[in-house]
Short mmCIF file of all heavy atoms in Angstrom, two decimals:
data_model
loop_
_atom_site.label_atom_id
_atom_site.label_comp_id
_atom_site.label_asym_id
_atom_site.label_seq_id
_atom_site.Cartn_x
_atom_site.Cartn_y
_atom_site.Cartn_z
N LEU A 242 4.12 8.29 -7.12
CA LEU A 242 2.66 8.44 -7.14
C LEU A 242 2.03 8.15 -8.49
O LEU A 242 0.90 7.71 -8.57
CB LEU A 242 2.27 9.85 -6.69
CG LEU A 242 2.49 10.16 -5.22
CD1 LEU A 242 2.17 11.61 -4.94
CD2 LEU A 242 1.67 9.25 -4.33
N THR A 243 2.75 8.40 -9.58
CA THR A 243 2.14 8.27 -10.89
C THR A 243 2.79 7.21 -11.78
O THR A 243 2.25 6.90 -12.83
CB THR A 243 2.18 9.61 -11.65
OG1 THR A 243 3.53 9.99 -11.86
CG2 THR A 243 1.44 10.69 -10.88
N GLY A 244 3.92 6.68 -11.37
CA GLY A 244 4.58 5.65 -12.18
C GLY A 244 3.80 4.35 -12.14
O GLY A 244 3.26 3.97 -11.10
N TRP A 245 3.76 3.65 -13.26
CA TRP A 245 2.97 2.43 -13.33
C TRP A 245 3.46 1.36 -12.35
O TRP A 245 2.62 0.61 -11.84
CB TRP A 245 2.88 1.90 -14.76
CG TRP A 245 4.16 1.46 -15.37
CD1 TRP A 245 5.00 2.20 -16.15
CD2 TRP A 245 4.76 0.18 -15.25
NE1 TRP A 245 6.08 1.45 -16.51
CE2 TRP A 245 5.97 0.20 -15.98
CE3 TRP A 245 4.42 -0.99 -14.60
CZ2 TRP A 245 6.82 -0.89 -16.07
CZ3 TRP A 245 5.27 -2.09 -14.68
CH2 TRP A 245 6.45 -2.03 -15.42
N PRO A 246 4.77 1.24 -12.01
CA PRO A 246 5.13 0.22 -11.03
C PRO A 246 4.46 0.45 -9.66
O PRO A 246 3.97 -0.50 -9.04
CB PRO A 246 6.65 0.34 -10.92
CG PRO A 246 7.08 0.93 -12.22
CD PRO A 246 5.97 1.87 -12.59
N SER A 247 4.41 1.69 -9.21
CA SER A 247 3.78 1.96 -7.92
C SER A 247 2.27 1.81 -7.97
O SER A 247 1.65 1.35 -7.01
CB SER A 247 4.13 3.36 -7.42
OG SER A 247 5.41 3.35 -6.84
N ILE A 248 1.66 2.18 -9.08
CA ILE A 248 0.22 2.01 -9.22
C ILE A 248 -0.13 0.52 -9.17
O ILE A 248 -1.06 0.10 -8.47
CB ILE A 248 -0.30 2.64 -10.54
CG1 ILE A 248 0.01 4.14 -10.58
CG2 ILE A 248 -1.78 2.36 -10.74
CD1 ILE A 248 -0.66 4.96 -9.51
N ILE A 249 0.65 -0.29 -9.89
CA ILE A 249 0.44 -1.74 -9.86
C ILE A 249 0.66 -2.28 -8.45
O ILE A 249 -0.10 -3.13 -7.97
CB ILE A 249 1.37 -2.45 -10.88
CG1 ILE A 249 0.92 -2.11 -12.30
CG2 ILE A 249 1.38 -3.95 -10.67
CD1 ILE A 249 1.89 -2.57 -13.37
N ALA A 250 1.67 -1.76 -7.76
CA ALA A 250 1.97 -2.21 -6.39
C ALA A 250 0.81 -1.93 -5.45
O ALA A 250 0.44 -2.78 -4.64
CB ALA A 250 3.25 -1.53 -5.89
N VAL A 251 0.22 -0.76 -5.55
CA VAL A 251 -0.91 -0.43 -4.67
C VAL A 251 -2.12 -1.31 -4.98
O VAL A 251 -2.81 -1.77 -4.07
CB VAL A 251 -1.26 1.08 -4.77
CG1 VAL A 251 -2.55 1.39 -4.06
CG2 VAL A 251 -0.13 1.91 -4.21
N ILE A 252 -2.35 -1.57 -6.25
CA ILE A 252 -3.46 -2.47 -6.61
C ILE A 252 -3.22 -3.86 -6.04
O ILE A 252 -4.13 -4.48 -5.46
CB ILE A 252 -3.63 -2.51 -8.15
CG1 ILE A 252 -4.14 -1.15 -8.64
CG2 ILE A 252 -4.60 -3.63 -8.56
CD1 ILE A 252 -4.09 -0.97 -10.15
N ILE A 253 -1.99 -4.37 -6.18
CA ILE A 253 -1.66 -5.68 -5.61
C ILE A 253 -1.87 -5.66 -4.10
O ILE A 253 -2.39 -6.62 -3.52
CB ILE A 253 -0.21 -6.08 -5.96
CG1 ILE A 253 -0.08 -6.36 -7.46
CG2 ILE A 253 0.25 -7.29 -5.15
CD1 ILE A 253 1.35 -6.55 -7.93
N ASN A 254 -1.46 -4.57 -3.44
CA ASN A 254 -1.66 -4.45 -1.99
C ASN A 254 -3.12 -4.64 -1.61
O ASN A 254 -3.43 -5.39 -0.69
CB ASN A 254 -1.21 -3.07 -1.49
CG ASN A 254 0.24 -3.04 -1.09
OD1 ASN A 254 0.75 -4.00 -0.55
ND2 ASN A 254 0.90 -1.95 -1.38
N TYR A 255 -4.00 -3.94 -2.28
CA TYR A 255 -5.42 -4.02 -1.94
C TYR A 255 -6.01 -5.38 -2.29
O TYR A 255 -6.88 -5.88 -1.57
CB TYR A 255 -6.20 -2.90 -2.64
CG TYR A 255 -6.12 -1.60 -1.90
CD1 TYR A 255 -5.39 -0.53 -2.40
CD2 TYR A 255 -6.76 -1.42 -0.68
CE1 TYR A 255 -5.30 0.67 -1.72
CE2 TYR A 255 -6.68 -0.23 0.02
CZ TYR A 255 -5.95 0.82 -0.50
OH TYR A 255 -5.87 2.00 0.19
N VAL A 256 -5.54 -6.01 -3.35
CA VAL A 256 -6.08 -7.32 -3.74
C VAL A 256 -5.60 -8.41 -2.78
O VAL A 256 -6.37 -9.29 -2.40
CB VAL A 256 -5.68 -7.65 -5.20
CG1 VAL A 256 -5.98 -9.09 -5.55
CG2 VAL A 256 -6.38 -6.71 -6.17
N LYS A 257 -4.34 -8.37 -2.39
CA LYS A 257 -3.74 -9.44 -1.59
C LYS A 257 -3.81 -9.23 -0.07
O LYS A 257 -3.58 -10.15 0.69
CB LYS A 257 -2.27 -9.64 -1.99
CG LYS A 257 -2.12 -10.27 -3.36
CD LYS A 257 -2.79 -11.62 -3.36
CE LYS A 257 -2.34 -12.49 -4.49
NZ LYS A 257 -2.94 -13.83 -4.41
N ARG A 258 -4.12 -8.02 0.37
CA ARG A 258 -4.12 -7.76 1.81
C ARG A 258 -5.09 -8.65 2.58
O ARG A 258 -4.76 -9.13 3.66
CB ARG A 258 -4.42 -6.29 2.09
CG ARG A 258 -4.21 -5.97 3.56
CD ARG A 258 -4.34 -4.52 3.86
NE ARG A 258 -3.93 -4.28 5.24
CZ ARG A 258 -4.10 -3.14 5.86
NH1 ARG A 258 -4.64 -2.13 5.22
NH2 ARG A 258 -3.71 -3.00 7.10
N PRO A 259 -6.29 -8.94 2.06
CA PRO A 259 -7.18 -9.85 2.81
C PRO A 259 -6.55 -11.22 3.06
O PRO A 259 -6.81 -11.84 4.09
CB PRO A 259 -8.41 -9.96 1.92
CG PRO A 259 -8.42 -8.71 1.12
CD PRO A 259 -6.97 -8.38 0.89
N ASP A 260 -5.71 -11.69 2.16
CA ASP A 260 -5.04 -12.98 2.35
C ASP A 260 -4.03 -12.93 3.48
O ASP A 260 -3.68 -13.96 4.06
CB ASP A 260 -4.32 -13.41 1.06
CG ASP A 260 -5.27 -13.63 -0.09
OD1 ASP A 260 -6.48 -13.81 0.15
OD2 ASP A 260 -4.80 -13.61 -1.25
N ALA A 261 -3.53 -11.75 3.80
CA ALA A 261 -2.51 -11.60 4.84
C ALA A 261 -3.11 -11.32 6.22
O ALA A 261 -2.38 -11.28 7.21
CB ALA A 261 -1.56 -10.47 4.46
N ARG A 262 -4.41 -11.12 6.30
CA ARG A 262 -5.04 -10.83 7.59
C ARG A 262 -4.70 -11.92 8.62
O ARG A 262 -4.69 -13.10 8.31
CB ARG A 262 -6.55 -10.74 7.45
CG ARG A 262 -7.02 -9.59 6.63
CD ARG A 262 -7.14 -8.34 7.46
NE ARG A 262 -7.75 -7.30 6.64
CZ ARG A 262 -7.30 -6.07 6.58
NH1 ARG A 262 -6.29 -5.71 7.32
NH2 ARG A 262 -7.87 -5.19 5.81
N GLY A 263 -4.40 -11.48 9.83
CA GLY A 263 -4.08 -12.42 10.90
C GLY A 263 -2.63 -12.87 10.92
O GLY A 263 -2.26 -13.69 11.73
N THR A 264 -1.81 -12.34 10.01
CA THR A 264 -0.39 -12.68 9.99
C THR A 264 0.43 -11.42 10.18
O THR A 264 -0.06 -10.31 10.04
CB THR A 264 0.01 -13.33 8.65
OG1 THR A 264 -0.05 -12.36 7.60
CG2 THR A 264 -0.90 -14.51 8.30
N TRP A 265 1.71 -11.60 10.46
CA TRP A 265 2.60 -10.44 10.59
C TRP A 265 2.77 -9.72 9.26
O TRP A 265 3.10 -8.55 9.22
CB TRP A 265 3.97 -10.86 11.15
CG TRP A 265 4.70 -11.87 10.30
CD1 TRP A 265 4.65 -13.23 10.43
CD2 TRP A 265 5.54 -11.61 9.19
NE1 TRP A 265 5.42 -13.83 9.47
CE2 TRP A 265 5.99 -12.86 8.68
CE3 TRP A 265 5.99 -10.46 8.55
CZ2 TRP A 265 6.83 -12.98 7.59
CZ3 TRP A 265 6.83 -10.58 7.46
CH2 TRP A 265 7.25 -11.82 6.99
N LEU A 266 2.49 -10.40 8.18
CA LEU A 266 2.63 -9.80 6.86
C LEU A 266 1.60 -8.71 6.60
O LEU A 266 1.83 -7.80 5.81
CB LEU A 266 2.53 -10.89 5.79
CG LEU A 266 3.02 -10.56 4.40
CD1 LEU A 266 4.46 -10.06 4.42
CD2 LEU A 266 2.90 -11.78 3.51
N ASP A 267 0.47 -8.78 7.28
CA ASP A 267 -0.56 -7.74 7.13
C ASP A 267 0.00 -6.36 7.46
O ASP A 267 -0.38 -5.37 6.85
CB ASP A 267 -1.76 -8.07 8.02
CG ASP A 267 -2.92 -7.12 7.83
OD1 ASP A 267 -3.13 -6.65 6.70
OD2 ASP A 267 -3.62 -6.85 8.82
N THR A 268 0.93 -6.30 8.41
CA THR A 268 1.51 -5.01 8.76
C THR A 268 2.32 -4.42 7.60
O THR A 268 2.37 -3.21 7.44
CB THR A 268 2.42 -5.12 10.01
OG1 THR A 268 3.51 -6.00 9.74
CG2 THR A 268 1.63 -5.62 11.21
N HIS A 269 2.91 -5.27 6.78
CA HIS A 269 3.66 -4.78 5.62
C HIS A 269 2.72 -4.24 4.55
O HIS A 269 3.01 -3.20 3.95
CB HIS A 269 4.55 -5.89 5.04
CG HIS A 269 5.76 -6.13 5.85
ND1 HIS A 269 6.92 -5.41 5.70
CD2 HIS A 269 6.00 -7.02 6.85
CE1 HIS A 269 7.82 -5.83 6.57
NE2 HIS A 269 7.29 -6.81 7.28
N PHE A 270 1.62 -4.92 4.32
CA PHE A 270 0.66 -4.42 3.34
C PHE A 270 0.10 -3.07 3.79
O PHE A 270 -0.04 -2.16 2.99
CB PHE A 270 -0.46 -5.44 3.11
CG PHE A 270 -0.04 -6.59 2.25
CD1 PHE A 270 0.41 -7.78 2.79
CD2 PHE A 270 -0.07 -6.48 0.87
CE1 PHE A 270 0.80 -8.83 1.99
CE2 PHE A 270 0.33 -7.53 0.05
CZ PHE A 270 0.77 -8.72 0.62
N GLY A 271 -0.20 -2.95 5.07
CA GLY A 271 -0.67 -1.66 5.61
C GLY A 271 0.40 -0.59 5.49
O GLY A 271 0.10 0.56 5.15
N TRP A 272 1.64 -0.93 5.78
CA TRP A 272 2.78 -0.01 5.69
C TRP A 272 2.91 0.52 4.26
O TRP A 272 3.08 1.73 4.05
CB TRP A 272 4.03 -0.76 6.12
CG TRP A 272 5.33 -0.04 6.06
CD1 TRP A 272 6.22 -0.03 5.03
CD2 TRP A 272 5.93 0.75 7.09
NE1 TRP A 272 7.34 0.70 5.36
CE2 TRP A 272 7.18 1.19 6.63
CE3 TRP A 272 5.53 1.12 8.37
CZ2 TRP A 272 8.04 1.98 7.39
CZ3 TRP A 272 6.38 1.91 9.12
CH2 TRP A 272 7.62 2.34 8.64
N GLN A 273 2.82 -0.36 3.29
CA GLN A 273 2.96 0.03 1.89
C GLN A 273 1.79 0.91 1.44
O GLN A 273 2.00 1.92 0.75
CB GLN A 273 3.04 -1.22 1.01
CG GLN A 273 4.29 -2.03 1.26
CD GLN A 273 4.18 -3.45 0.73
OE1 GLN A 273 3.11 -3.98 0.49
NE2 GLN A 273 5.34 -4.09 0.56
N ILE A 274 0.59 0.55 1.83
CA ILE A 274 -0.59 1.34 1.46
C ILE A 274 -0.52 2.73 2.09
O ILE A 274 -0.77 3.74 1.43
CB ILE A 274 -1.88 0.61 1.85
CG1 ILE A 274 -2.08 -0.63 0.96
CG2 ILE A 274 -3.09 1.53 1.79
CD1 ILE A 274 -3.16 -1.58 1.44
N ARG A 275 -0.19 2.78 3.38
CA ARG A 275 -0.10 4.09 4.06
C ARG A 275 0.99 4.96 3.46
O ARG A 275 0.82 6.17 3.33
CB ARG A 275 0.14 3.90 5.56
CG ARG A 275 -1.09 3.51 6.33
CD ARG A 275 -0.87 3.57 7.84
NE ARG A 275 0.31 2.88 8.30
CZ ARG A 275 0.38 1.58 8.56
NH1 ARG A 275 -0.68 0.82 8.40
NH2 ARG A 275 1.50 1.03 8.99
N THR A 276 2.10 4.35 3.07
CA THR A 276 3.18 5.12 2.44
C THR A 276 2.65 5.83 1.20
O THR A 276 2.90 7.02 0.99
CB THR A 276 4.37 4.21 2.09
OG1 THR A 276 4.87 3.61 3.28
CG2 THR A 276 5.48 5.00 1.41
N PHE A 277 1.92 5.11 0.36
CA PHE A 277 1.39 5.69 -0.86
C PHE A 277 0.41 6.82 -0.57
O PHE A 277 0.55 7.92 -1.11
CB PHE A 277 0.71 4.61 -1.71
CG PHE A 277 0.18 5.12 -3.01
CD1 PHE A 277 1.01 5.24 -4.11
CD2 PHE A 277 -1.15 5.51 -3.14
CE1 PHE A 277 0.53 5.72 -5.32
CE2 PHE A 277 -1.64 5.99 -4.34
CZ PHE A 277 -0.79 6.10 -5.43
N TRP A 278 -0.56 6.57 0.30
CA TRP A 278 -1.62 7.58 0.54
C TRP A 278 -1.12 8.79 1.31
O TRP A 278 -1.54 9.92 1.04
CB TRP A 278 -2.83 6.96 1.20
CG TRP A 278 -3.55 6.05 0.26
CD1 TRP A 278 -3.68 4.70 0.33
CD2 TRP A 278 -4.23 6.43 -0.97
NE1 TRP A 278 -4.37 4.21 -0.75
CE2 TRP A 278 -4.73 5.25 -1.56
CE3 TRP A 278 -4.44 7.64 -1.61
CZ2 TRP A 278 -5.43 5.26 -2.76
CZ3 TRP A 278 -5.14 7.64 -2.80
CH2 TRP A 278 -5.63 6.47 -3.36
N TYR A 279 -0.21 8.60 2.27
CA TYR A 279 0.34 9.76 2.98
C TYR A 279 1.23 10.59 2.05
O TYR A 279 1.27 11.81 2.15
CB TYR A 279 1.12 9.35 4.24
CG TYR A 279 0.23 9.04 5.41
CD1 TYR A 279 0.28 7.80 6.04
CD2 TYR A 279 -0.67 9.98 5.88
CE1 TYR A 279 -0.54 7.51 7.11
CE2 TYR A 279 -1.50 9.70 6.95
CZ TYR A 279 -1.43 8.46 7.56
OH TYR A 279 -2.25 8.18 8.62
N THR A 280 1.93 9.94 1.14
CA THR A 280 2.71 10.68 0.16
C THR A 280 1.79 11.53 -0.70
O THR A 280 2.06 12.71 -0.94
CB THR A 280 3.53 9.71 -0.72
OG1 THR A 280 4.40 8.95 0.12
CG2 THR A 280 4.34 10.46 -1.76
N LEU A 281 0.70 10.95 -1.16
CA LEU A 281 -0.27 11.71 -1.96
C LEU A 281 -0.82 12.89 -1.17
O LEU A 281 -0.91 14.01 -1.69
CB LEU A 281 -1.40 10.81 -2.42
CG LEU A 281 -2.48 11.49 -3.27
CD1 LEU A 281 -1.90 12.04 -4.56
CD2 LEU A 281 -3.61 10.51 -3.56
N LEU A 282 -1.16 12.67 0.09
CA LEU A 282 -1.69 13.76 0.93
C LEU A 282 -0.68 14.91 1.03
O LEU A 282 -1.04 16.07 0.83
CB LEU A 282 -2.02 13.23 2.33
CG LEU A 282 -2.38 14.29 3.37
CD1 LEU A 282 -3.71 14.94 3.04
CD2 LEU A 282 -2.39 13.69 4.76
N TRP A 283 0.58 14.61 1.30
CA TRP A 283 1.58 15.66 1.45
C TRP A 283 1.90 16.35 0.13
O TRP A 283 2.20 17.55 0.11
CB TRP A 283 2.84 15.11 2.12
CG TRP A 283 2.64 15.02 3.59
CD1 TRP A 283 2.41 13.89 4.32
CD2 TRP A 283 2.58 16.11 4.51
NE1 TRP A 283 2.23 14.22 5.64
CE2 TRP A 283 2.33 15.58 5.78
CE3 TRP A 283 2.72 17.49 4.38
CZ2 TRP A 283 2.22 16.38 6.92
CZ3 TRP A 283 2.61 18.29 5.52
CH2 TRP A 283 2.36 17.73 6.75
N VAL A 284 1.79 15.63 -0.96
CA VAL A 284 1.99 16.27 -2.26
C VAL A 284 0.85 17.25 -2.54
O VAL A 284 1.09 18.35 -3.04
CB VAL A 284 2.11 15.21 -3.39
CG1 VAL A 284 1.97 15.83 -4.76
CG2 VAL A 284 3.45 14.50 -3.26
N VAL A 285 -0.37 16.87 -2.21
CA VAL A 285 -1.51 17.79 -2.38
C VAL A 285 -1.29 19.05 -1.54
O VAL A 285 -1.50 20.17 -2.02
CB VAL A 285 -2.84 17.10 -2.05
CG1 VAL A 285 -3.98 18.10 -1.93
CG2 VAL A 285 -3.16 16.03 -3.09
#
């Protein structure tokens, strides 16, 4: 949640996800984003 590699990864996810819309790869970007946010929710 706080390490710079994961923070950079989430930023990349949000920046590049629109490019993946309409492809099977969009599901991976969503998977990665949900993993981060659900982890944060459970930590809270």
Side-chain angles (χ1 to χ4, degrees):
L242 290 175
T243 63
W245 64 266
S247 280
I248 300 297
I249 291 171
V251 171
I252 292 168
I253 292 171
N254 270 324
Y255 278 109
V256 169
K257 289 300 198 176
R258 189 174 189 190
D260 297 341
R262 294 274 187 226
T264 69
W265 59 268
L266 196 55
D267 185 34
T268 62
H269 284 275
F270 283 95
W272 178 267
Q273 294 162 341
I274 290 168
R275 283 190 310 276
T276 300
F277 182 84
W278 290 113
Y279 281 123
T280 301
L281 180 62
L282 171 68
W283 280 105
V284 166
V285 168

